[in-house]
Amino acid sequence: PKGQLTVASNMMFSSSVPSYYRDVHEAIRCRTDERVQLQVFQRLLLRTDLSEAALNQIVKHVDSVDGFLSKLSFYKALALIALAQQGKTPSPKLLENCILELPKPHLGEPKDLSSLRMQPVQENVLTLSLTLDKILARDTVQVELIPEKKGLFLKHVEYQVTSQHYKISVYRRYTDFDVFHEVLLQRFAYRVVPALPPKRMLKVLTNVSEREFIEGRRRALCRFLNLVARHPFFSEDELVKTFLTFSGSDVQIKLRDSYKRTRDEFMTNRIATQSKEYLPSDIQAQFSTSREMIRNIHNSFQKLRDRAEKMAERSKENATDLLMFGRELSTLGSDSSSLPSMASSQSTWGTLRQALKSLSVEFAVLSDKAAQQGRREEDDVVEKLNLFLDLLQSYRDLCERHEKGVLHEHQRALHKYGVMKRQMMSATVQPKEQASVEQLESRIIQQENAIQTMELRNYFSLFCLHQETQLIFAYLPITSHILGSFVNSQVQGHREMGEVWNELQPKLSCLFAENNGLKSI
């Protein structure tokens, strides 16, 4: 089978590799890891002057994964090239005869081979190939309220969290969300981590009932989890998976014990220390421009959300008004008292009363249709606007963390370093104890190391900001989803209510006699 070699051969390639092999590998390997791009390897094969049949044999016996050769696979390929150049048919079995000494292929000077390396385009690592559909397809999380649990001293709200991706439901309390958010923000401080809704109802919200507050918080927690579960950089992280799937007795202990002491993304990302190499030279200008644009988008979407909320509220109010209108007609028609003697004998009020009483049914249906319209506007339009607004706000929070956090700390460290250097200059001019001078030198070295780390963190923060900005723009087509939901809700609502109004009109004939109510008063 392709690439299958003996254990002895594998051991040989992992230990006694000629320096030429190592030099060639170093010349053409990826900049960010030890692998060799398959396209680079194919270019290398073209320099061997081997026949097409020999090249096909080599390719046949070399393993590649996702378009890359591992270092070991590449070393085996070099040996097969050397054997083919000796006129032999390259095969894994033939390599077993080279245990003592690997043959040297004729490829020229290693330094001349670096031109074959396809340097990853800087944007390849920095640029996200994301579409909104791909983002939304990652997961859909439902958060449902379950009945309150009441004990002797405890009363709390619990939620059923269901992940479509993991196909599992777990139960969570708000405090579980709080710990999860804390650990998530600690590990991914350079990413957009949405904020949690408040735990308790603020005193200023006196016009909001407790039931409305709890429902609003449930919706916000649902939006929070969907944004987290769809994030391209931490949606598949074990931390997120644990929160969405762990069904043990106390998820908070699990989160704290397993993740709170782990290193943040800067310490675990393999290219974190190389971020500066991938950033465009005008990154600060790009960041400022994008930040201002996203701030304007945020402001506009807030206004759209406020208007959509008012329309949903008006639909609910309309439902109440229609219901009360129908009830008043019913009350009017239910009056069974006899007509007074002064009323004309020709009065049709008795007949009209019976007709009015029956109309309350249609108005109840109209009220129900208006209430459904309000729920559609709230669920399909307002919620989608709120989801995007949560993301936009978390981006603005990230920008604040960058400027007030890592950037500010870097500037403070530089200032402290300058003070130390001035102290050192003063110490060289004015005689001081050797021990204090040595201690100051040690502190300066420590501060230099700290500054270097902070600089790297600052560049990584900018790197992540660049990617998170792309995430915001990848979400922007949600505008079409929102508009589609808005138009559909209006079309459906007006159609359904129009049908009821049309059914109601013929029933009014007895109220308007011959002119059917069309003659103006």
Side-chain angles (χ1 to χ4, degrees):
K2 178 183 177 180
Q4 191 173 25
L5 298 173
T6 63
V7 174
S9 180
N10 280 327
M11 291 177 62
M12 168 194 68
F13 279 102
S14 62
S15 58
S16 57
V17 177
S19 60
Y20 183 78
Y21 280 44
R22 300 182 192 277
D23 293 341
V24 171
H25 172 262
E26 187 63 28
I28 69 171
R29 72 175 180 85
C30 290
R31 180 170 57 179
T32 54
D33 56 47
E34 293 186 334
R35 298 176 302 168
V36 174
Q37 287 181 297
L38 184 58
Q39 290 171 295
V40 176
F41 174 63
Q42 290 170 343
R43 289 186 176 188
L44 182 70
L45 289 177
L46 297 177
R47 295 175 64 106
T48 61
D49 296 326
L50 292 171
S51 66
E52 185 175 348
L55 294 178
N56 289 336
Q57 283 292 320
I58 294 170
V59 172
K60 176 182 176 182
H61 298 303
V62 173
D63 285 325
S64 64
V65 178
D66 297 329
F68 292 91
L69 277 70
S70 67
K71 182 197 285 189
L72 183 60
S73 294
F74 181 66
Y75 287 161
K76 294 173 184 175
L78 291 180
L80 291 174
I81 290 172
L83 292 170
Q85 288 176 332
Q86 294 174 8
K88 301 173 182 175
T89 302
S91 70
K93 187 155 183 72
L94 193 60
L95 291 179
E96 296 179 16
N97 301 323
C98 306
I99 296 297
L100 296 178
E101 184 179 0
L102 288 171
K104 179 181 177 180
H106 300 293
L107 300 170
E109 290 297 320
K111 63 180 181 180
D112 298 331
L113 299 176
S114 59
S115 61
L116 298 176
R117 177 164 51 188
M118 296 175 64
Q119 295 284 355
V121 179
Q122 289 188 344
E123 287 72 23
N124 280 354
V125 178
L126 192 61
T127 303
L128 305 182
S129 56
L130 286 177
T131 63
L132 180 61
D133 289 341
K134 287 182 179 179
I135 293 171
L136 299 179
R138 285 178 174 269
D139 201 355
T140 297
V141 182
Q142 299 290 336
V143 177
E144 300 297 336
L145 202 64
I146 62 176
E148 295 181 359
K149 291 187 176 181
K150 300 179 182 179
L152 293 175
F153 305 103
L154 178 66
K155 177 185 176 182
H156 66 260
V157 177
E158 195 167 11
Y159 306 92
Q160 182 179 18
V161 175
T162 305
S163 165
Q164 192 177 88
H165 176 68
Y166 292 110
K167 296 179 174 55
I168 190 172
S169 292
V170 293
Y171 296 93
R172 298 286 181 259
R173 294 170 56 185
Y174 180 87
T175 50
D176 299 330
F177 281 89
D178 196 27
V179 172
F180 173 56
H181 179 265
E182 179 187 349
V183 181
L184 187 66
L185 191 55
Q186 175 186 307
R187 293 193 66 195
F188 296 99
Y190 307 117
R191 301 291 180 185
V192 286
V193 177
L196 284 181
K199 181 178 182 180
R200 293 183 179 87
M201 184 164 54
L202 301 176
K203 292 182 179 179
V204 295
L205 300 178
T206 52
N207 60 329
V208 177
S209 68
E210 184 179 1
R211 177 179 294 181
E212 289 174 320
F213 170 76
I214 291 174
E215 170 59 15
R217 188 174 65 182
R218 180 199 68 79
R219 288 175 178 268
L221 291 174
C222 186
R223 297 194 301 268
F224 164 78
L225 278 187
N226 276 289
L227 288 173
V228 168
R230 293 166 178 169
H231 194 283
F233 289 102
F234 50 70
S235 59
E236 298 292 336
D237 190 81
E238 281 298 315
L239 170 61
V240 177
K241 181 179 179 181
T242 297
F243 187 81
L244 293 176
T245 62
F246 181 74
S247 57
S249 58
D250 195 339
V251 69
Q252 294 181 35
I253 294 176
K254 175 70 173 176
L255 291 173
R256 285 195 173 102
D257 290 350
S258 301
Y259 303 108
K260 201 155 188 183
R261 289 185 296 273
T262 57
R263 298 175 297 171
D264 69 355
E265 187 185 9
F266 173 77
M267 301 297 292
T268 57
N269 191 303
R270 64 182 177 83
I271 64 168
T273 57
Q274 304 168 15
S275 299
K276 183 179 180 180
E277 299 179 29
Y278 296 100
L279 292 172
S281 57
D282 62 341
I283 180 63
Q284 291 290 356
Q286 287 191 32
F287 169 53
S288 297
T289 302
S290 299
R291 186 179 184 182
E292 181 63 25
M293 183 182 297
I294 291 172
R295 183 187 291 114
N296 294 335
I297 290 170
H298 188 199
N299 293 337
S300 292
F301 268 86
Q302 276 186 319
K303 294 174 182 177
L304 288 172
R305 189 273 316 276
D306 292 345
R307 294 299 171 186
E309 280 183 337
K310 287 183 178 180
M311 284 187 277
E313 193 60 36
R314 281 201 296 269
S315 294
K316 294 177 186 177
E317 292 173 353
N318 190 31
T320 302
D321 291 339
L322 286 166
L323 184 63
M324 296 306 297
F325 192 92
R327 284 179 181 175
E328 288 303 323
L329 289 177
S330 179
T331 300
L332 194 61
S334 298
D335 184 5
S336 57
S337 57
S338 301
L339 291 173
S341 57
M342 67 183 69
S344 169
S345 59
Q346 299 299 317
S347 174
T348 59
W349 180 241
T351 306
L352 287 174
R353 283 193 309 194
Q354 292 299 317
L356 292 174
K357 183 178 180 181
S358 66
L359 292 179
S360 64
V361 176
E362 277 74 17
F363 277 93
V365 174
L366 285 169
S367 173
D368 183 58
K369 296 298 183 185
Q372 291 179 25
Q373 170 77 357
R375 286 193 293 271
R376 276 194 300 268
E377 289 169 343
E378 194 170 57
D379 295 341
D380 298 342
V381 182
V382 176
E383 270 305 290
K384 286 178 181 176
L385 282 164
N386 276 329
L387 177 79
F388 190 44
L389 280 170
D390 287 351
L391 180 68
L392 291 171
Q393 183 58 54
S394 64
Y395 176 82
R396 295 182 70 168
D397 294 342
L398 175 62
C399 293
E400 290 291 319
R401 287 201 302 275
H402 170 72
E403 290 191 337
K404 295 183 179 179
V406 62
L407 186 60
H408 181 64
E409 288 176 6
H410 183 213
Q411 290 170 345
R412 273 197 335 187
L414 288 172
H415 175 72
K416 185 177 178 181
Y417 178 72
V419 171
M420 288 181 176
K421 292 293 283 185
R422 286 193 293 271
Q423 290 175 347
M424 191 66 185
M425 290 175 65
S426 176
T428 58
V429 175
Q430 301 176 359
K432 290 190 177 183
E433 294 182 9
Q434 184 65 26
S436 63
V437 174
E438 290 178 354
Q439 186 179 27
L440 186 56
E441 287 178 342
S442 176
R443 287 172 55 202
I444 288 175
I445 292 173
Q446 290 177 359
Q447 190 67 9
E448 287 174 344
N449 293 334
I451 288 172
Q452 185 178 14
T453 301
M454 288 179 188
E455 284 179 348
L456 292 174
R457 280 187 175 273
N458 183 42
Y459 284 120
F460 183 63
S461 180
L462 283 169
F463 179 90
C464 293
L465 261 173
H466 196 287
Q467 292 183 323
E468 299 304 291
T469 303
Q470 294 171 65
L471 177 63
I472 300 299
F473 283 103
Y475 259 98
L476 269 176
I478 201 172
T479 307
S480 61
H481 290 235
I482 294 167
L483 285 174
S485 297
F486 176 69
V487 172
N488 290 339
S489 70
Q490 298 303 313
V491 169
Q492 184 176 350
H494 287 295
R495 183 182 67 243
E496 291 179 353
M497 293 192 72
E499 290 172 354
V500 180
W501 286 116
N502 286 328
E503 291 173 3
L504 178 61
Q505 192 174 31
K507 296 181 181 181
L508 303 181
S509 57
C510 63
L511 298 178
F512 303 116
E514 293 181 0
N515 60 33
N516 200 30
L518 298 178
K519 186 176 180 180
S520 59
I521 295 175

mmCIF file of all heavy atoms in Angstrom, residues 450-481:
data_model
loop_
_atom_site.group_PDB
_atom_site.id
_atom_site.type_symbol
_atom_site.label_atom_id
_atom_site.label_comp_id
_atom_site.label_asym_id
_atom_site.label_seq_id
_atom_site.Cartn_x
_atom_site.Cartn_y
_atom_site.Cartn_z
ATOM 1 N N ALA A 450 9.836 41.515 29.468
ATOM 2 C CA ALA A 450 8.403 41.784 29.594
ATOM 3 C C ALA A 450 7.902 42.623 28.422
ATOM 4 O O ALA A 450 6.830 42.370 27.870
ATOM 5 C CB ALA A 450 8.114 42.494 30.917
ATOM 6 N N ILE A 451 8.708 43.626 28.031
ATOM 7 C CA ILE A 451 8.328 44.486 26.912
ATOM 8 C C ILE A 451 8.254 43.677 25.617
ATOM 9 O O ILE A 451 7.337 43.854 24.806
ATOM 10 C CB ILE A 451 9.325 45.655 26.765
ATOM 11 C CG1 ILE A 451 9.130 46.649 27.913
ATOM 12 C CG2 ILE A 451 9.168 46.360 25.421
ATOM 13 C CD1 ILE A 451 10.175 47.736 27.966
ATOM 14 N N GLN A 452 9.206 42.785 25.432
ATOM 15 C CA GLN A 452 9.206 41.959 24.223
ATOM 16 C C GLN A 452 7.941 41.104 24.157
ATOM 17 O O GLN A 452 7.305 40.992 23.098
ATOM 18 C CB GLN A 452 10.446 41.059 24.204
ATOM 19 C CG GLN A 452 10.574 40.255 22.913
ATOM 20 C CD GLN A 452 11.842 39.399 22.906
ATOM 21 O OE1 GLN A 452 12.475 39.199 23.940
ATOM 22 N NE2 GLN A 452 12.187 38.892 21.739
ATOM 23 N N THR A 453 7.568 40.521 25.299
ATOM 24 C CA THR A 453 6.350 39.713 25.343
ATOM 25 C C THR A 453 5.121 40.573 25.067
ATOM 26 O O THR A 453 4.210 40.172 24.330
ATOM 27 C CB THR A 453 6.201 39.030 26.717
ATOM 28 O OG1 THR A 453 7.330 38.197 26.954
ATOM 29 C CG2 THR A 453 4.935 38.193 26.782
ATOM 30 N N MET A 454 5.096 41.758 25.648
ATOM 31 C CA MET A 454 3.960 42.657 25.435
ATOM 32 C C MET A 454 3.864 43.105 23.989
ATOM 33 O O MET A 454 2.768 43.258 23.447
ATOM 34 C CB MET A 454 4.074 43.870 26.366
ATOM 35 C CG MET A 454 3.793 43.556 27.820
ATOM 36 S SD MET A 454 3.977 45.013 28.866
ATOM 37 C CE MET A 454 3.825 44.259 30.492
ATOM 38 N N GLU A 455 4.997 43.338 23.360
ATOM 39 C CA GLU A 455 4.990 43.703 21.941
ATOM 40 C C GLU A 455 4.392 42.580 21.103
ATOM 41 O O GLU A 455 3.586 42.818 20.196
ATOM 42 C CB GLU A 455 6.410 44.024 21.474
ATOM 43 C CG GLU A 455 6.930 45.379 21.931
ATOM 44 C CD GLU A 455 8.346 45.645 21.460
ATOM 45 O OE1 GLU A 455 8.989 44.685 20.982
ATOM 46 O OE2 GLU A 455 8.816 46.792 21.578
ATOM 47 N N LEU A 456 4.796 41.360 21.418
ATOM 48 C CA LEU A 456 4.264 40.204 20.695
ATOM 49 C C LEU A 456 2.760 40.075 20.924
ATOM 50 O O LEU A 456 1.997 39.785 20.001
ATOM 51 C CB LEU A 456 4.980 38.926 21.143
ATOM 52 C CG LEU A 456 6.456 38.813 20.761
ATOM 53 C CD1 LEU A 456 7.077 37.568 21.380
ATOM 54 C CD2 LEU A 456 6.619 38.771 19.238
ATOM 55 N N ARG A 457 2.331 40.313 22.178
ATOM 56 C CA ARG A 457 0.899 40.257 22.482
ATOM 57 C C ARG A 457 0.140 41.370 21.753
ATOM 58 O O ARG A 457 -0.980 41.168 21.274
ATOM 59 C CB ARG A 457 0.656 40.355 23.985
ATOM 60 C CG ARG A 457 0.881 39.047 24.741
ATOM 61 C CD ARG A 457 0.471 39.149 26.195
ATOM 62 N NE ARG A 457 0.582 37.862 26.869
ATOM 63 C CZ ARG A 457 -0.365 36.930 26.895
ATOM 64 N NH1 ARG A 457 -1.523 37.159 26.274
ATOM 65 N NH2 ARG A 457 -0.185 35.780 27.523
ATOM 66 N N ASN A 458 0.761 42.530 21.656
ATOM 67 C CA ASN A 458 0.124 43.643 20.972
ATOM 68 C C ASN A 458 -0.092 43.317 19.493
ATOM 69 O O ASN A 458 -1.172 43.576 18.936
ATOM 70 C CB ASN A 458 0.982 44.895 21.111
ATOM 71 C CG ASN A 458 0.335 46.116 20.472
ATOM 72 O OD1 ASN A 458 -0.850 46.336 20.607
ATOM 73 N ND2 ASN A 458 1.138 46.897 19.762
ATOM 74 N N TYR A 459 0.913 42.736 18.867
ATOM 75 C CA TYR A 459 0.775 42.358 17.456
ATOM 76 C C TYR A 459 -0.246 41.229 17.289
ATOM 77 O O TYR A 459 -1.022 41.220 16.329
ATOM 78 C CB TYR A 459 2.123 41.949 16.867
ATOM 79 C CG TYR A 459 3.033 43.121 16.575
ATOM 80 C CD1 TYR A 459 4.282 43.240 17.182
ATOM 81 C CD2 TYR A 459 2.638 44.127 15.692
ATOM 82 C CE1 TYR A 459 5.113 44.322 16.920
ATOM 83 C CE2 TYR A 459 3.461 45.210 15.418
ATOM 84 C CZ TYR A 459 4.700 45.310 16.042
ATOM 85 O OH TYR A 459 5.503 46.389 15.779
ATOM 86 N N PHE A 460 -0.258 40.300 18.234
ATOM 87 C CA PHE A 460 -1.245 39.213 18.148
ATOM 88 C C PHE A 460 -2.651 39.762 18.348
ATOM 89 O O PHE A 460 -3.604 39.316 17.697
ATOM 90 C CB PHE A 460 -0.944 38.142 19.200
ATOM 91 C CG PHE A 460 -1.884 36.961 19.125
ATOM 92 C CD1 PHE A 460 -1.932 36.163 18.000
ATOM 93 C CD2 PHE A 460 -2.726 36.661 20.198
ATOM 94 C CE1 PHE A 460 -2.800 35.070 17.928
ATOM 95 C CE2 PHE A 460 -3.585 35.582 20.134
ATOM 96 C CZ PHE A 460 -3.622 34.782 18.998
ATOM 97 N N SER A 461 -2.785 40.747 19.238
ATOM 98 C CA SER A 461 -4.082 41.386 19.439
ATOM 99 C C SER A 461 -4.557 42.061 18.152
ATOM 100 O O SER A 461 -5.726 41.941 17.762
ATOM 101 C CB SER A 461 -3.982 42.408 20.572
ATOM 102 O OG SER A 461 -5.218 43.049 20.785
ATOM 103 N N LEU A 462 -3.648 42.744 17.451
ATOM 104 C CA LEU A 462 -3.987 43.368 16.169
ATOM 105 C C LEU A 462 -4.330 42.311 15.117
ATOM 106 O O LEU A 462 -5.245 42.493 14.306
ATOM 107 C CB LEU A 462 -2.821 44.226 15.677
ATOM 108 C CG LEU A 462 -2.652 45.584 16.353
ATOM 109 C CD1 LEU A 462 -1.313 46.200 15.962
ATOM 110 C CD2 LEU A 462 -3.798 46.520 15.979
ATOM 111 N N PHE A 463 -3.585 41.213 15.146
ATOM 112 C CA PHE A 463 -3.830 40.101 14.227
ATOM 113 C C PHE A 463 -5.261 39.580 14.416
ATOM 114 O O PHE A 463 -6.014 39.387 13.447
ATOM 115 C CB PHE A 463 -2.805 39.003 14.503
ATOM 116 C CG PHE A 463 -2.940 37.779 13.641
ATOM 117 C CD1 PHE A 463 -2.262 37.683 12.439
ATOM 118 C CD2 PHE A 463 -3.729 36.709 14.037
ATOM 119 C CE1 PHE A 463 -2.379 36.551 11.645
ATOM 120 C CE2 PHE A 463 -3.847 35.574 13.259
ATOM 121 C CZ PHE A 463 -3.173 35.493 12.051
ATOM 122 N N CYS A 464 -5.632 39.346 15.681
ATOM 123 C CA CYS A 464 -6.969 38.837 15.980
ATOM 124 C C CYS A 464 -8.040 39.871 15.632
ATOM 125 O O CYS A 464 -9.101 39.522 15.104
ATOM 126 C CB CYS A 464 -7.078 38.454 17.449
ATOM 127 S SG CYS A 464 -6.051 37.038 17.914
ATOM 128 N N LEU A 465 -7.744 41.146 15.910
ATOM 129 C CA LEU A 465 -8.693 42.202 15.563
ATOM 130 C C LEU A 465 -8.971 42.227 14.064
ATOM 131 O O LEU A 465 -10.108 42.431 13.631
ATOM 132 C CB LEU A 465 -8.132 43.552 15.999
ATOM 133 C CG LEU A 465 -8.641 44.134 17.312
ATOM 134 C CD1 LEU A 465 -7.864 45.383 17.679
ATOM 135 C CD2 LEU A 465 -10.126 44.430 17.244
ATOM 136 N N HIS A 466 -7.931 42.015 13.283
ATOM 137 C CA HIS A 466 -8.082 41.981 11.823
ATOM 138 C C HIS A 466 -9.027 40.849 11.418
ATOM 139 O O HIS A 466 -9.899 41.025 10.553
ATOM 140 C CB HIS A 466 -6.707 41.787 11.174
ATOM 141 C CG HIS A 466 -6.672 42.121 9.713
ATOM 142 N ND1 HIS A 466 -7.247 41.319 8.769
ATOM 143 C CD2 HIS A 466 -6.132 43.177 9.034
ATOM 144 C CE1 HIS A 466 -7.045 41.836 7.567
ATOM 145 N NE2 HIS A 466 -6.384 42.978 7.700
ATOM 146 N N GLN A 467 -8.862 39.701 12.055
ATOM 147 C CA GLN A 467 -9.725 38.557 11.742
ATOM 148 C C GLN A 467 -11.150 38.772 12.251
ATOM 149 O O GLN A 467 -12.119 38.420 11.569
ATOM 150 C CB GLN A 467 -9.130 37.281 12.336
ATOM 151 C CG GLN A 467 -7.826 36.852 11.677
ATOM 152 C CD GLN A 467 -7.297 35.544 12.228
ATOM 153 O OE1 GLN A 467 -7.404 35.276 13.416
ATOM 154 N NE2 GLN A 467 -6.718 34.735 11.374
ATOM 155 N N GLU A 468 -11.278 39.332 13.446
ATOM 156 C CA GLU A 468 -12.612 39.557 14.000
ATOM 157 C C GLU A 468 -13.367 40.607 13.184
ATOM 158 O O GLU A 468 -14.594 40.541 13.071
ATOM 159 C CB GLU A 468 -12.510 39.995 15.459
ATOM 160 C CG GLU A 468 -11.850 38.971 16.379
ATOM 161 C CD GLU A 468 -12.532 37.619 16.342
ATOM 162 O OE1 GLU A 468 -13.675 37.506 16.831
ATOM 163 O OE2 GLU A 468 -11.930 36.660 15.819
ATOM 164 N N THR A 469 -12.634 41.553 12.614
ATOM 165 C CA THR A 469 -13.264 42.541 11.732
ATOM 166 C C THR A 469 -13.859 41.846 10.516
ATOM 167 O O THR A 469 -14.972 42.158 10.073
ATOM 168 C CB THR A 469 -12.241 43.602 11.284
ATOM 169 O OG1 THR A 469 -11.671 44.229 12.443
ATOM 170 C CG2 THR A 469 -12.894 44.663 10.418
ATOM 171 N N GLN A 470 -13.114 40.875 9.980
ATOM 172 C CA GLN A 470 -13.625 40.108 8.845
ATOM 173 C C GLN A 470 -14.868 39.319 9.242
ATOM 174 O O GLN A 470 -15.788 39.146 8.439
ATOM 175 C CB GLN A 470 -12.535 39.146 8.349
ATOM 176 C CG GLN A 470 -11.320 39.839 7.764
ATOM 177 C CD GLN A 470 -10.190 38.868 7.504
ATOM 178 O OE1 GLN A 470 -10.300 37.970 6.673
ATOM 179 N NE2 GLN A 470 -9.098 39.016 8.236
ATOM 180 N N LEU A 471 -14.889 38.826 10.477
ATOM 181 C CA LEU A 471 -16.060 38.089 10.959
ATOM 182 C C LEU A 471 -17.296 38.995 10.962
ATOM 183 O O LEU A 471 -18.385 38.563 10.567
ATOM 184 C CB LEU A 471 -15.792 37.554 12.370
ATOM 185 C CG LEU A 471 -16.954 36.811 13.042
ATOM 186 C CD1 LEU A 471 -17.315 35.557 12.259
ATOM 187 C CD2 LEU A 471 -16.601 36.453 14.477
ATOM 188 N N ILE A 472 -17.112 40.241 11.393
ATOM 189 C CA ILE A 472 -18.238 41.186 11.394
ATOM 190 C C ILE A 472 -18.773 41.374 9.984
ATOM 191 O O ILE A 472 -19.987 41.338 9.746
ATOM 192 C CB ILE A 472 -17.801 42.550 11.971
ATOM 193 C CG1 ILE A 472 -17.303 42.404 13.412
ATOM 194 C CG2 ILE A 472 -18.958 43.545 11.901
ATOM 195 C CD1 ILE A 472 -18.313 41.878 14.390
ATOM 196 N N PHE A 473 -17.863 41.561 9.027
ATOM 197 C CA PHE A 473 -18.297 41.772 7.649
ATOM 198 C C PHE A 473 -18.893 40.496 7.042
ATOM 199 O O PHE A 473 -19.758 40.572 6.164
ATOM 200 C CB PHE A 473 -17.137 42.296 6.799
ATOM 201 C CG PHE A 473 -16.847 43.750 7.028
ATOM 202 C CD1 PHE A 473 -15.771 44.149 7.800
ATOM 203 C CD2 PHE A 473 -17.666 44.726 6.494
ATOM 204 C CE1 PHE A 473 -15.506 45.489 8.043
ATOM 205 C CE2 PHE A 473 -17.421 46.071 6.713
ATOM 206 C CZ PHE A 473 -16.336 46.455 7.494
ATOM 207 N N ALA A 474 -18.443 39.342 7.521
ATOM 208 C CA ALA A 474 -19.045 38.091 7.060
ATOM 209 C C ALA A 474 -20.491 37.974 7.545
ATOM 210 O O ALA A 474 -21.332 37.346 6.884
ATOM 211 C CB ALA A 474 -18.229 36.895 7.565
ATOM 212 N N TYR A 475 -20.780 38.595 8.679
ATOM 213 C CA TYR A 475 -22.137 38.561 9.235
ATOM 214 C C TYR A 475 -23.066 39.591 8.568
ATOM 215 O O TYR A 475 -24.291 39.481 8.682
ATOM 216 C CB TYR A 475 -22.099 38.850 10.737
ATOM 217 C CG TYR A 475 -22.215 37.628 11.622
ATOM 218 C CD1 TYR A 475 -21.096 37.026 12.168
ATOM 219 C CD2 TYR A 475 -23.463 37.085 11.927
ATOM 220 C CE1 TYR A 475 -21.194 35.915 12.996
ATOM 221 C CE2 TYR A 475 -23.582 35.978 12.758
ATOM 222 C CZ TYR A 475 -22.449 35.392 13.290
ATOM 223 O OH TYR A 475 -22.563 34.296 14.108
ATOM 224 N N LEU A 476 -22.498 40.592 7.900
ATOM 225 C CA LEU A 476 -23.317 41.677 7.371
ATOM 226 C C LEU A 476 -24.455 41.238 6.439
ATOM 227 O O LEU A 476 -25.517 41.863 6.441
ATOM 228 C CB LEU A 476 -22.426 42.700 6.655
ATOM 229 C CG LEU A 476 -21.921 43.846 7.525
ATOM 230 C CD1 LEU A 476 -20.977 44.743 6.745
ATOM 231 C CD2 LEU A 476 -23.083 44.676 8.063
ATOM 232 N N PRO A 477 -24.272 40.169 5.627
ATOM 233 C CA PRO A 477 -25.405 39.733 4.790
ATOM 234 C C PRO A 477 -26.631 39.295 5.594
ATOM 235 O O PRO A 477 -27.684 39.044 5.004
ATOM 236 C CB PRO A 477 -24.814 38.551 4.003
ATOM 237 C CG PRO A 477 -23.354 38.838 3.939
ATOM 238 C CD PRO A 477 -23.024 39.476 5.251
ATOM 239 N N ILE A 478 -26.502 39.233 6.925
ATOM 240 C CA ILE A 478 -27.685 38.933 7.743
ATOM 241 C C ILE A 478 -28.743 40.005 7.534
ATOM 242 O O ILE A 478 -29.926 39.792 7.822
ATOM 243 C CB ILE A 478 -27.300 38.819 9.244
ATOM 244 C CG1 ILE A 478 -28.361 38.030 10.004
ATOM 245 C CG2 ILE A 478 -27.080 40.194 9.867
ATOM 246 C CD1 ILE A 478 -27.963 37.708 11.437
ATOM 247 N N THR A 479 -28.310 41.163 7.001
ATOM 248 C CA THR A 479 -29.256 42.236 6.681
ATOM 249 C C THR A 479 -30.348 41.732 5.745
ATOM 250 O O THR A 479 -31.533 42.050 5.917
ATOM 251 C CB THR A 479 -28.516 43.418 6.019
ATOM 252 O OG1 THR A 479 -27.418 43.805 6.842
ATOM 253 C CG2 THR A 479 -29.440 44.603 5.822
ATOM 254 N N SER A 480 -29.950 40.934 4.742
ATOM 255 C CA SER A 480 -30.952 40.406 3.801
ATOM 256 C C SER A 480 -31.879 39.421 4.492
ATOM 257 O O SER A 480 -33.079 39.369 4.198
ATOM 258 C CB SER A 480 -30.263 39.733 2.603
ATOM 259 O OG SER A 480 -29.456 38.645 3.031
ATOM 260 N N HIS A 481 -31.354 38.633 5.441
ATOM 261 C CA HIS A 481 -32.199 37.718 6.215
ATOM 262 C C HIS A 481 -33.231 38.516 7.010
ATOM 263 O O HIS A 481 -34.406 38.134 7.091
ATOM 264 C CB HIS A 481 -31.350 36.886 7.181
ATOM 265 C CG HIS A 481 -30.477 35.873 6.526
ATOM 266 N ND1 HIS A 481 -30.518 34.533 6.851
ATOM 267 C CD2 HIS A 481 -29.530 35.989 5.565
ATOM 268 C CE1 HIS A 481 -29.636 33.879 6.120
ATOM 269 N NE2 HIS A 481 -29.022 34.744 5.343
#
